[in-house]
Amino acid sequence: MARTAGSTLTEQVAEHYAERIRQRLLAPGARLPSVRDCARRHGVSPHTVVAAYDQLLAQGLVEARRQRGFFVRDRRAPEPRAASRPPAGPPLPPVDATALIRGMFHSATDQPAPGLGTLPLDWLDPSLLNTALRRVLAQSEGAAALQYGQPAGDRRLREALALRLGGLGLQASADQIVTSTGATHALDIVSRALLAPGDAVLVDEPGWAVEFARLTQLGMRLLPVPRGADGPDLAVLDTLAREHRPRLYVTVSVLHNPTGNSLTPAGAYQLLRLAEQHDFRVVEDDTYGDLAPAHLPRLAALDGLQRTLYISGFAKTLTPGWRVGYVAAPPSLIERLIDVKLLSTLTTPAILEQALAYCLEQGSLRRHVERVHARLDAARQRAVPLALAHGCRFVTPPQGLFGWVDTGVDTEALAQQMHDQGWLLAPGHLFHATRRPSTLMRINFATSQDARFWQAFDQARRR
């Protein structure tokens, strides 16, 4: 906490937590540090902390719970009334997903962020992007790149993507591909095209918090399928499908986020059999596929895009800023997907799509990904021993970009402490469809190599 001239210590402590609550870095329901812990952390007296928490109470930002402490207040909820009825409509979406995302944009330090889901900036290749953009603008179609793009996406890019998918064993024509503003947008297009409020959707748990929040906001009923070291629990999936008749199963088959595991061929085959038996479609999110060996099975390749839709993008390996994603789907769904895309974004940026097509055609993206693979393998070899040496246990074998580790302590409280020191963590409760305490956390191997982080982690965990 930075000391500010002209304000009392009480006001500084209160403003520190008020700002984190306003930025949603502390989600509704999150517990503030105990008075004693807060006093020790900020180097002030317990009396100062009590006075600061009183100020937060007066501002309506927190609430006191008898013998439990102070908790962030959910300001969206109406005040309880004696004879009030529960509100109609779907439940409000969870807000935990935004805490991690907002942390990406509110970092007060340049320290590595072990909880982020992206590669470090110095791993990216600006010269590759600059060259591609210059070539596109210099070519004859450069003028066209400044206009609205084609509804389904740039034809040149879709043809390059069809060749790329062929390398994964997935046979899809350019006419079966619709581009999007990143993979998240592709998931949204599919959800809006194929689902209606109240529909049941199977999801991995642990899984991607943003997807939980997005589907809940659309009014869907989430059916969490436990995900372990061997992939999804197919017995639970079978039971849920029998009881709830889901429309979709949104899953990550390769380098799952956050566990890092991948489906086996046998598991993929059984999953597709269940999809056919219970008549639901499978949406395969292959966002991290570039970081995986090409031989790992893709559900869409095994199924031939009959009952599957395949989604991917380039934010994880090329650059988060370009936001180019796509969905490959059965021919019967393409026009419906295009209609939803047109209503949400009109079209996608043609100049970025043509530049990406150039990177694919010239092989520059493939060479860049090979360099990323080598750096990530080396980073993982450094980060894993550090995590083990500081008391963490890997719940699933470490592979890909993420490690799913058990810390032995409440990682939500741990994340609050570490954030005060400039370290952004991804606590385990963010990856569950319903909020629950967790001792797990996700680490990014590329940003978890710093011994300073693990020393700070050890100190915070001991508290």
Side-chain angles (χ1 to χ4, degrees):
M1 181 187 70
R3 299 298 171 93
T4 305
S7 60
T8 66
L9 287 176
T10 296
E11 291 169 341
Q12 291 171 29
V13 173
E15 181 56 27
H16 171 78
Y17 288 99
E19 184 64 18
R20 293 187 64 189
I21 293 169
R22 284 191 288 266
Q23 293 178 353
R24 302 270 288 280
L25 296 175
L26 281 174
R31 184 178 184 274
L32 268 62
S34 69
V35 170
R36 182 176 299 176
D37 185 37
C38 185
R40 182 173 59 249
R41 188 182 307 179
H42 298 295
V44 297
S45 70
H47 175 77
T48 297
V49 175
V50 171
Y53 283 2
D54 281 342
Q55 288 189 11
L56 296 174
L57 280 168
Q59 296 171 33
L61 296 176
V62 303
E63 60 186 8
R65 299 180 187 174
R66 191 176 185 86
Q67 296 184 339
R68 292 185 61 196
F70 294 85
F71 294 79
V72 178
R73 185 179 178 186
D74 188 347
R75 289 175 289 165
R76 302 167 306 173
E79 293 295 328
R81 297 178 183 176
S84 63
R85 293 180 295 177
L92 290 167
V95 298
D96 292 326
T98 61
L100 186 61
I101 298 173
R102 286 172 181 269
M104 295 166 57
F105 305 105
H106 290 98
S107 176
T109 174
D110 58 357
Q111 292 176 165
L116 287 190
T118 56
L119 295 175
L121 289 180
D122 61 359
W123 286 33
L124 306 180
D125 190 347
S127 63
L128 183 155
L129 307 177
N130 291 335
T131 298
L133 285 171
R134 284 198 304 269
R135 290 296 179 91
V136 167
L137 290 172
Q139 291 170 350
S140 58
E141 66 264 35
L146 303 179
Q147 302 173 11
Y148 278 125
Q150 300 171 23
D154 183 73
R155 181 77 190 187
R156 178 180 174 186
L157 174 59
R158 289 186 287 124
E159 290 176 349
L161 290 173
L163 289 173
R164 176 184 175 86
L165 293 179
L168 298 176
L170 203 174
Q171 303 304 316
S173 70
D175 293 329
Q176 288 180 259
I177 297 173
V178 178
T179 65
S180 59
T181 310
T184 303
H185 181 221
L187 288 164
D188 196 60
I189 290 173
V190 169
S191 300
R192 293 178 185 276
L194 303 185
L195 298 172
D199 283 346
V201 181
L202 296 158
V203 294
D204 293 330
E205 187 176 55
W208 192 31
V210 172
E211 185 66 3
F212 298 155
R214 194 185 59 74
L215 288 169
T216 305
Q217 190 176 57
L218 292 175
M220 309 309 163
R221 293 183 293 120
L222 302 187
L223 305 176
V225 179
R227 182 89 180 216
D230 298 324
D233 188 323
L234 297 179
V236 172
L237 190 155
D238 187 19
T239 300
L240 290 172
R242 289 180 188 278
E243 294 179 357
H244 298 279
R245 305 293 297 173
R247 297 289 303 279
L248 292 180
Y249 176 27
V250 181
T251 186
V252 180
S253 58
V254 171
L255 295 186
H256 172 256
N257 176 18
T259 67
N261 65 33
S262 300
L263 278 179
T264 63
Y269 173 72
Q270 294 173 32
L271 196 162
L272 290 172
R273 286 191 62 186
L274 288 173
E276 183 175 5
Q277 178 183 343
H278 297 295
D279 192 27
F280 60 82
R281 293 187 183 273
V282 178
V283 180
E284 182 176 28
D285 178 2
D286 201 23
T287 302
Y288 297 94
D290 272 350
L291 301 176
H295 70 270
L296 291 177
R298 267 55 171 197
L299 292 165
L302 296 174
D303 172 68
L305 290 179
Q306 299 292 314
R307 191 171 287 278
T308 53
L309 295 90
Y310 176 91
I311 286 172
S312 191
F314 299 89
K316 304 307 177 188
T317 50
L318 185 61
T319 170
W322 273 20
R323 309 303 303 150
V324 179
Y326 63 97
V327 52
S332 60
L333 298 181
I334 292 300
E335 290 304 318
R336 201 187 315 177
L337 297 174
I338 292 174
D339 285 345
V340 173
K341 174 185 173 179
L342 290 172
L343 290 174
S344 60
T345 61
L346 292 181
T347 60
T348 38
I351 187 170
L352 297 183
E353 292 186 349
Q354 290 179 16
L356 179 55
Y358 174 86
C359 293
L360 291 169
E361 293 164 355
Q362 300 299 313
S364 54
L365 179 58
R366 175 184 55 78
R367 294 189 292 273
H368 167 67
V369 169
E370 289 173 353
R371 292 191 293 270
V372 168
H373 268 262
R375 295 190 71 169
L376 183 56
D377 289 344
R380 197 183 310 110
Q381 291 174 11
R382 287 189 290 268
V384 169
L386 284 169
L388 294 173
H390 289 83
C392 290
R393 176 181 65 86
F394 282 88
V395 179
T396 54
Q399 50 193 334
L401 183 62
F402 297 132
W404 189 230
V405 299
D406 192 339
T407 66
V409 298
D410 178 2
T411 49
E412 182 177 6
L414 185 70
Q416 293 181 26
Q417 288 195 44
M418 297 292 289
H419 187 273
D420 289 341
Q421 302 173 44
W423 302 102
L424 181 68
L425 299 189
H429 77 275
L430 291 177
F431 300 94
H432 289 279
T434 54
R435 189 185 185 94
R436 70 183 71 170
S438 177
T439 61
L440 302 174
M441 73 174 182
R442 186 193 75 182
I443 61 171
N444 180 328
F445 291 122
T447 54
S448 299
Q449 309 171 65
D450 193 327
R452 294 176 305 153
F453 160 67
W454 290 106
Q455 292 167 2
F457 166 86
D458 221 13
Q459 294 169 3
R461 195 178 62 156
R462 288 199 188 101
R463 296 196 190 107

